[in-house]
Each structure stands twice: as C-alpha cells, then as structure tokens.
C-alpha cells in the first residue's frame, strides 16, 4: 500500500514504480528507521500528542518488527521504501494505533534522520578499521626501526632512510583520515527529525527529547536545511576518497617494492595471485585492485556533489540518489582498509637487499656534501665537489664506499678517514635525527607520538 494513494484515481505504472522505489537499496536503513520511529513514538506519547497506550502499542509493535527482521522471519519487500514498509507492517500488526506513528513527521525528516544514523555508525566503523590499520603499520614501523632502505624522490634513489620511517608516513596519513571522519561526525550528529516536510510542525513536539534518545547532539536549527542537507554524505565520500588516495599510494609502493627489480618487500602467498599461463608469476592483484577501486570511490564523490548542486530548497527526490553511491563507497572503503591491514600484517622484507640498495647508486652523496659543509666548506661548494666525485666514480666504475681516503683527498683536503664511516647507509640514516627525520631515534619518537594521537580512537 502506498502511503499517499488517497489522492490518486489510478495506480502508478509498473515501470514508474520500479523507477521510483528505493526499497531495493534503502532497506539497509531498517534498523535506523525503526530506532528513530521508536524515539518519535515515545516523544508523541510523552507530549500527549497520542495517548500513552497508543505510544506503548506502537513501540512494542516496532520492536517486534525489529526482532522479526533481525532473525529472518520478516522479509523486507513489497513497499515503495523502507519507511513505507515499516509503517505498513506496523499497521497490519496493530491496526489504527499504527496509523498515528506518522503524526508530526514526514518522510523527508525521517529519511534525513535515518540516513544520518546509518552514516554515523558507518563513520564509527571506519574509524575503528583505520585505527586497526594504523596499529598494523606501527607494528611494521617498530620492526623497521632496525633496518634501512633507500628513500626516493622522482623514483630515483635519494637518501637512506630507516624502514620504520616509511610505515610511519602512511600511519600519519591514515591518522589524518581518522581525524577527518571524526570531525565530520560532529557536523553530522545533528537531528533533522521534527523538521516535518520542510516547515516544522504545529504539534507540541519535544525535539530535544528525541535527539537525546537517538544520541544526537541537538536538533537542527532550521527545518528547510534539516530536510535537504546531505553535506554529511559528501563529506563521508570525500573522507573516503582521501583515504583511498592514501591506500592507493601505499598499494603503488607495495607493488613497486615487491617487483623482481626492487625486491624489498614480499607479499605473502595468501595475498597474492598467479597467472593462468605463466607458471612463475606471483602477481600483486590485491593492491592493484585496490588502486583501481580508488577511481570508483572518487566517482561516488563527484556523483553526490553533482546531484546536490542544483537542488532548490527543500526536499526533492534527487536526494534519493544519495544512497546507492554511498553504500558502495562504504563497502569498498571498509574492505580496502581491512584487507590492507591483513596484507601488511603478513608482508615480509628482504632487509639485506634494502640495505645494499640504500648505499648504492650514490644514495649517500648528500652526506658527503654535508661532511664537507660541517668542516666549514660552504654547502654550495661542497655540493659541487661531491658532484665531481660522483662523476669520477661513474667514469671509473667506483662507489663512494670503495674510494680510498687518498682519492677523496684529491677532491678536497678537508676529507679525513672518518669519511669512510660517513658514507655507510646505516650511518646516513642514523644521522638524520632532526625532529620528524628518518633516523631510528626520530622514528621511535614518531611511533610514540602516533600512538598517543591514536589513543583517542581506541577507547
Ligand atoms: N525514498 C526517499 C528518499 O530516499 C524517502 C523520502 C521520500 N519523500 C518524498 N517526499 N517523496 O529520499
């Protein structure tokens, strides 16, 4: 039964129904819808808008529907949307009292409230998943304190870094993502219910009571805005997009570092795939797919922003388009975060290969220039001298590590025997003790700081 059929002489066309109905996807909101309706009914009773008996009958009926859906005895089907389904079901169970549930509300403030409840709980789940991922990254960072790897710029070897520094960098990104979801949650946690269709209501409702029952911080201050605000969906999709961008970069690093050419990381068999024709292959399908899904999530962000851009106040049916993209965004994001945590929990490292790579290809050249600069040679001059040394090494098939002290001294008299220690990869990484730097000491400080900032989400 349609909630609004009284005005119509003819039923809607079959294809119009199929086009219009949202039940196939908004049935996901059933818990939120029933929870919000129970709070609304309690308030109607308490404010004397319906009788206490009617209120109790409605709440009891709704709770029974909740149980029946939860244990699978009631299937959600045969209505325009989840709100109609629950109301029809209630009326069929308790009769006329059920018809009073919709007093002083509209589906417009109802759907806005339900969806906020749903997105709020999803936000909490995302923050929890991100926290778990950050903990796995921190475990890897702790392991990585003892090892060095090359750091890159322009994907050319730049300077040796501690392996832990790499993982902390991603932990920082995902912590920012958690912060973003957390701060969006504050803006989201405002209750539209009581906005009615658009203009509020003439019944003596108590919006504060409903807000408290539903754990909202407060009722919204403007009913027109209340029924049409979907900023929280766009914010969620943006936060998801940002997190996917971080995941995608991490995927790219993992794919690259696990190639035969780099060979620093080894993805475990459980998170790798093979080829149907090439027996030797161990492919990084999981991180590749995750990198690919990033485009899809960005798409959901663009879709919701575009849907919202031209809508006049207040509610318009365009707003029903806020859900499907969101649900997919949520699904994909959570599975990506969770699978990345598993993949990283099982990844192994070729620490020797990383160590060798960290010293080779003149990755320690900056430290040669710094060595001279610390002895009083102006940095720009020291840079020039070191550049000449590198060129000489390339022409003569030598490395910074196998040059003799005599050879160093032919380039500048400030070189002393300690230059041999200076150009070791480990020394270079250990030397970068500045705040936020790549040395084991700084990395340990960074781990402590991330743990402290993360603790807020671990209560
Ligand atoms: N299914 C609708 C949505 O998702 C519910 C609100 C319907 N309101 C209306 N005035 N048609 O937006």
């Amino acid at each position: 039964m349609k909630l609004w059929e009284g005005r119509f002489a003819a039923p809607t066309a079959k294809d119009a129904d199929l086009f219009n109905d949202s039940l196939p996807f908004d049935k996901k909101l059933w818990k939120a819808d029933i929870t919000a309706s129970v709070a609304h009914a309690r308030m109607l009773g308490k404010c004397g808008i319906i009788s206490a008996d009617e209120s109790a009958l409605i709440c009891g009926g709704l709770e029974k529907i909740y149980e029946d859906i939860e244990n699978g005895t009631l299937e959600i089907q045969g209505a325009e949307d989840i709100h109609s389904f629950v109301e029809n079901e209630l009326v069929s169970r308790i009769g006329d009292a059920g018809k009073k549930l919709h007093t002083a509300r509209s589906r417009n403030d109802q759907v806005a409230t339900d969806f906020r409840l749903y997105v709020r709980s999803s936000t909490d789940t995302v923050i929890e998943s991100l926290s778990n991922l950050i903990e796995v990254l921190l475990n890897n960072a702790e392991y990585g304190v003892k090892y060095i790897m090359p750091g890159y710029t322009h994907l050319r070897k730049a300077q040796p870094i501690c392996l832990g520094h790499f993982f902390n960098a991603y932990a920082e990104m995902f912590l920012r993502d958690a912060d973003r979801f957390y701060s969006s949650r504050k803006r989201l946690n405002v209750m539209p219910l009581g906005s009615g269709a658009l203009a509020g209501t003439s019944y003596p409702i108590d919006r504060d009571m409903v807000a408290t029952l539903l754990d909202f911080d407060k009722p919204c201050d403007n009913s027109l805005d209340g029924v049409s605000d979907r900023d929280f969906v766009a914010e969620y999709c943006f936060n998801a997009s940002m997190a996917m961008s971080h995941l995608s970069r991490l995927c790219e690093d993992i794919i690259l570092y696990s190639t035969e050419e780099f060979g620093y990381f080894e993805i475990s068999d459980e998170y790798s795939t093979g080829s149907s024709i090439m027996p030797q292959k161990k492919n990084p399908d999981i991180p590749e797919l995750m990198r690919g899904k990033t485009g899809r999530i960005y798409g959901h962000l663009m879709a919701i922003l575009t849907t919202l851009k031209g809508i006049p106040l207040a509610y318009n049916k365009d707003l029903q388009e806020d859900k499907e993209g969101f649900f997919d965004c949520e699904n994909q994001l959570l599975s990506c975060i969770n699978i990345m945590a598993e993949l990283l929990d099982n990844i192994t490292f070729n620490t020797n290969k990383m160590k060798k790579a960290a010293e080779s290809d003149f990755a320690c050249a900056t430290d040669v220039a710094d060595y001279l600069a610390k002895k009083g040679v102006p940095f720009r001059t020291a840079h020039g001298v070191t550049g000449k040394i590198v060129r000489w090494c390339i022409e003569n098939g030598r490395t910074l590590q196998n040059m003799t002290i005599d050879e160093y001294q032919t380039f500048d008299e400030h070189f002393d025997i300690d230059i041999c220690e200076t150009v070791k990869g480990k020394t270079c990484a250990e030397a970068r003790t500045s705040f936020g730097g790549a040395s084991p000491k700084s990395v340990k400080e960074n781990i402590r700081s991330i743990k402290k900032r993360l603790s807020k989400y671990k209560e």
Side-chain angles (χ1 to χ4, degrees), residues 22 26 81 83 107-108 111 315 317 319-320 323:
S22 51
D26 73 11
D81 54 29
H83 326 294
R107 276 186 300 166
N108 298 351
V111 70
Y315 178 85
K317 193 64 172 236
L319 290 173
Q320 183 167 290
K323 289 175 203 67

Side-chain angles (χ1 to χ4, degrees), residues 30-312:
W30 70 269
K31 280 187 183 177
D33 192 73
I34 296 176
T35 307
S37 285
V38 168
H40 180 68
R42 280 178 65 182
M43 180 278 291
L44 291 177
K46 146 127 189 310
C47 296
I49 299 167
I50 60 176
S51 74
D53 286 352
E54 286 164 339
S55 169
L57 206 58
I58 293 173
C59 292
L62 288 170
E63 273 148 24
K64 191 81 192 47
I65 294 172
Y66 191 106
E67 272 170 36
D68 291 350
I69 297 175
E70 187 147 68
N71 65 32
T73 50
L74 176 61
E75 208 184 316
I76 303 177
Q77 57 177 18
E80 181 184 341
D81 54 29
I82 187 62
H83 326 294
S84 315
F85 173 81
V86 173
E87 191 177 317
N88 289 342
E89 185 63 30
L90 182 70
V91 173
S92 81
R93 289 180 182 212
I94 67 166
D96 275 353
K99 294 185 182 168
K100 295 199 172 182
L101 169 61
H102 211 54
T103 313
R105 87 175 176 187
S106 149
R107 276 186 300 166
N108 298 351
D109 56 349
Q110 188 181 357
V111 70
T113 303
D114 292 359
F115 203 23
R116 274 178 197 252
L117 288 174
Y118 187 96
V119 177
R120 185 177 73 185
S121 131
S122 173
T123 299
D124 293 340
T125 309
V126 171
I127 292 175
E128 213 182 297
S129 289
L130 283 170
S131 305
N132 175 51
L133 172 60
I134 294 166
E135 284 189 329
V136 173
L137 284 160
L138 288 177
N139 286 343
N140 288 0
E142 258 152 16
Y143 168 86
V145 167
K146 302 181 286 296
Y147 301 104
I148 59 164
M149 70 182 293
Y152 294 83
T153 65
H154 312 273
L155 206 47
R156 303 290 187 275
K157 267 181 210 171
Q159 293 171 354
I161 61 170
C162 177
L163 171 63
H165 204 44
F166 170 88
F167 289 109
N168 279 343
Y170 282 103
E172 292 285 357
M173 294 179 225
F174 295 120
L175 191 51
R176 284 200 296 280
D177 293 325
D179 289 343
R180 255 185 290 272
F181 275 100
Y182 186 77
S183 103
S184 295
R185 192 191 193 283
K186 285 184 208 144
R187 275 180 298 282
L188 168 154
N189 206 26
V190 170
M191 187 193 69
L193 206 62
S195 297
L198 74 161
T201 175
S202 56
Y203 294 95
I205 57 171
D206 181 351
R207 298 190 66 202
D208 289 313
M209 173 185 169
V210 184
T212 307
L213 287 173
L214 296 174
D215 279 329
F216 281 110
D217 294 333
K218 58 171 195 169
C220 67
D221 289 286
N222 181 298
S223 63
L224 284 176
D225 183 40
V227 291
S228 45
D229 172 22
R230 295 293 184 276
D231 293 4
F232 63 100
V233 185
E235 278 196 44
Y236 184 106
C237 292
F238 171 75
N239 297 340
S241 295
M242 208 61 245
M244 284 305 297
S245 132
H246 298 145
L247 281 168
S248 189
R249 294 185 70 177
L250 177 55
C251 287
E252 176 57 22
D253 274 335
I254 292 172
I255 293 165
L256 195 65
Y257 292 166
S258 61
T259 53
E260 288 91 356
E261 285 76 7
F262 280 78
Y264 304 160
F265 295 1
E266 172 91 22
I267 306 175
S268 70
D269 284 4
E270 289 94 326
Y271 292 92
S272 302
T273 47
S275 154
S276 61
I277 173 172
M278 296 162 285
Q280 86 284 10
K281 294 277 264 160
K282 184 171 170 185
N283 287 332
D285 285 32
I286 303 284
E288 283 170 356
L289 189 55
M290 210 176 284
R291 195 176 54 185
K293 283 179 189 289
T294 307
R296 174 164 162 187
I297 306 261
Y298 289 4
H300 294 317
L301 172 63
M302 283 321 295
I304 184 68
L305 288 173
T306 310
T307 295
L308 294 177
K309 80 178 255 297
I311 304 182

